[in-house]
Amino acid sequence: MILTRILTCTALALTLAACGGSPSKPNAEASKILPTIGSSGGARSNIQAKKLFGAKADGSRQSSAAYGSYSKGCVAGAQQLAETGPTWQAMRLSRNRNWGHPEMIDYIKTLSAKAAQQPGWEGLYVGDISQPRGGPMLTGHASHQMGLDADFWMLPPKSLSLSRAERESISSISMRRTRGAYVNNSWTPQHHQVLKAAASDPRVARIFVFPGAKVQMCADEKGDRSWLRKIRPWYGHHYHFHVRLSCPKGATGCVNQDPPPAGDGCADARQWQANILNPPPPNPNAPKRKPKRELLLADLPAQCQSVLDSN
């Protein structure tokens, strides 16, 4: 199954510079556990949720809470990450996606301070977190809906005084070589240490990065390897790495993704690498992928209606 999916997606997805696809399918259990808005949304129930949530310019005036799953949810009481901090800058401000659950905002500040300890790094450039109220985005990501996902650029910040215009025009740098099977010369030991710090925070559920980076980290790590379990190979992530936090402790209405398999995951990453270098023959019996349906307001957890309607 994995081999077939790799064949289907590698040519396109390994070229992506952002999380255009979903690094996790929507958790089927979420719809079983959480009631959805359904017809209670009235005339809006059949409107694409991205059009409704994408139109909101600020967070809801509610207690902070994540509802649903990473690819089908929303966030109440989201906090806006300051555009510039002592060890970070939020990028692409025109997207208004520098909003997140308070746990994520705190995580970003903590991780960026650790990144700033690395030689040549002033901190972190922070990409998309979430929309002000989460939910499906107008463009790009399938996940990032609960304020618990964030993208961090691979480009080591040399300056934290970029203007708004510069943050729209500057680009991150790719770390991949040979279609993502290996890292290139831009990869440094500092990238390893930043990702290690990112994964070592107990709040982290997963970190998505291109296969070659995971293989390289597996080869280079000589100490504690437990953190490697959270580093998961996924398509596209060679300009940035994607951090996903677990649902906050005590949260109700927030559904975690299944935990990663036991072990450091290095054998799995090497298999991804092997399939990039020597793609297996296509499976003639593989079912055709059905076009993905846009999420409607009716599909989202019931709590998302009050998040959408809150002042």
Side-chain angles (χ1 to χ4, degrees), residues 288-305:
K288 292 184 178 180
R289 300 184 71 184
K290 296 180 180 179
K292 187 175 180 181
R293 180 176 68 80
E294 294 281 359
L295 289 174
L296 306 177
L297 181 64
D299 298 320
L300 297 188
Q303 298 96 325
C304 292
Q305 186 165 329

Side-chain angles (χ1 to χ4, degrees), residues 10 14 175-184 210 212 273 276-277:
T10 297
L14 278 173
M175 298 282 115
R176 74 173 187 168
R177 177 167 59 90
T178 317
R179 305 183 308 282
Y182 305 105
V183 297
N184 61 26
F210 71 100
Q273 182 187 59
I276 293 171
L277 296 171

Side-chain angles (χ1 to χ4, degrees), residues 229-307:
R229 180 188 182 196
K230 295 182 182 179
I231 306 289
R232 311 308 300 183
W234 198 256
Y235 314 104
H237 293 66
H238 52 100
Y239 282 92
H240 71 274
F241 61 94
H242 173 166
V243 174
R244 170 166 294 166
L245 301 187
S246 299
C247 292
K249 291 182 179 179
T252 58
C254 178
V255 181
N256 279 309
Q257 188 177 354
D258 290 338
D264 60 18
C266 291
D268 183 47
R270 288 190 290 269
Q271 185 63 59
W272 279 70
Q273 182 187 59
N275 290 336
I276 293 171
L277 296 171
N278 297 291
N283 179 1
N285 299 317
K288 292 184 178 180
R289 300 184 71 184
K290 296 180 180 179
K292 187 175 180 181
R293 180 176 68 80
E294 294 281 359
L295 289 174
L296 306 177
L297 181 64
D299 298 320
L300 297 188
Q303 298 96 325
C304 292
Q305 186 165 329
S306 66
V307 172

Side-chain angles (χ1 to χ4, degrees), residues 76-135:
Q79 293 181 2
Q80 187 175 28
L81 178 70
E83 294 179 3
T84 299
T87 53
W88 75 85
Q89 280 203 288
M91 309 301 283
R92 303 293 190 264
L93 296 173
S94 62
R95 297 178 179 178
N96 196 27
R97 294 176 178 177
N98 57 323
W99 296 77
H101 189 282
E103 284 286 352
M104 176 55 80
I105 302 303
D106 179 74
Y107 174 85
I108 291 169
K109 295 176 180 179
T110 300
L111 178 62
S112 65
K114 293 179 179 178
Q117 298 172 11
Q118 296 299 318
W121 292 60
E122 293 296 317
L124 289 171
Y125 289 145
V126 183
D128 289 352
I129 309 170
S130 182
Q131 296 177 142
R133 305 190 188 196

